[in-house]
Amino acid sequence: MKIMLINGPNLNMLGIREKGIYGARSYEEICNFVKEEAEKRGHEITLFQSNCEGEIIDELQKAYYEKYEGIIINPGAYTHYSYAIHDAIRGIDIPTVEVHLSNIHTREEFRHKSVTAPACIGQMCGFGENGYILAINALEMYKK
Ligand code: DQA
């Protein structure tokens, strides 16, 4: 499967930011971990990270034109208020799984709501970087 993994704002700071919440593994280490597992399973995976909403939307639209078959997205804080990312996910009609490293439901109230998840086939949260692998499982199961 041709998969795109999109990470939103501040996720490039993994390994530095709030280690008690997000863990000590760096963004690069997590990328390698996910890429290795995806390729082991025979998938082609593209990794993208941006701190900018518009760039994330551009990448989602690119996924449509380049015929990606699955998207894994951690929109970071955009999760909680970006109707534009919600619309972009809906607009491209590619099965998309939302991932959060932390359990957003046990944290501050503003994190409890995801405006992007309703545009996705499902959401994974609270399993750290393993959530990205669980998202690959979900895409594989969805495709069958
Ligand atoms: C996050 C949760 C968001 O609330 C937060 O803004 C992030 C990371 C997560 O992966 O747990 O940047 O998406």
Side-chain angles (χ1 to χ4, degrees):
M1 208 186 313
K2 198 171 165 184
I3 299 173
M4 182 178 279
L5 168 59
I6 299 178
N7 278 291
N10 298 306
L11 291 158
N12 56 315
M13 297 297 280
L14 290 173
I16 299 167
R17 76 183 283 217
E18 301 183 277
K19 289 188 209 167
I21 295 173
Y22 300 116
R25 273 174 115 175
S26 69
Y27 172 69
E28 205 188 336
E29 282 171 331
I30 292 175
C31 283
N32 291 337
F33 164 71
V34 180
K35 194 168 160 49
E36 222 170 83
E37 182 60 31
E39 287 174 352
K40 205 161 75 190
R41 296 180 189 202
H43 302 302
E44 186 188 324
I45 190 162
T46 303
L47 291 88
F48 177 80
Q49 189 277 331
S50 175
N51 295 321
C52 305
E53 188 178 29
E55 286 181 6
I56 293 169
I57 293 164
D58 287 345
E59 201 64 17
L60 286 164
Q61 293 178 1
K62 192 169 130 193
Y64 171 79
Y65 289 111
E66 294 187 0
K67 299 187 169 33
Y68 277 79
E69 298 164 281
I71 292 172
I72 300 168
I73 187 165
N74 182 346
Y78 284 137
T79 304
H80 314 299
Y81 63 94
S82 178
Y83 298 117
I85 292 178
H86 169 114
D87 284 352
I89 296 168
R90 265 210 202 287
I92 56 174
D93 201 25
I94 301 170
T96 300
V97 180
E98 180 168 305
V99 172
H100 299 287
L101 298 152
S102 65
N103 183 348
I104 54 176
H105 303 288
T106 59
R107 300 182 62 197
E108 302 97 315
E109 181 120 25
F110 75 89
R111 295 185 205 277
H112 295 181
K113 186 174 167 69
S114 168
V115 302
T116 46
C120 298
I121 58 170
Q123 185 202 58
M124 217 68 76
C125 78
F127 301 107
E129 57 267 30
N130 292 316
Y132 295 113
I133 309 299
L134 296 173
I136 297 175
N137 292 349
L139 289 174
E140 287 170 350
M141 289 170 74
Y142 190 82
K143 216 194 163 195
K144 277 184 192 158

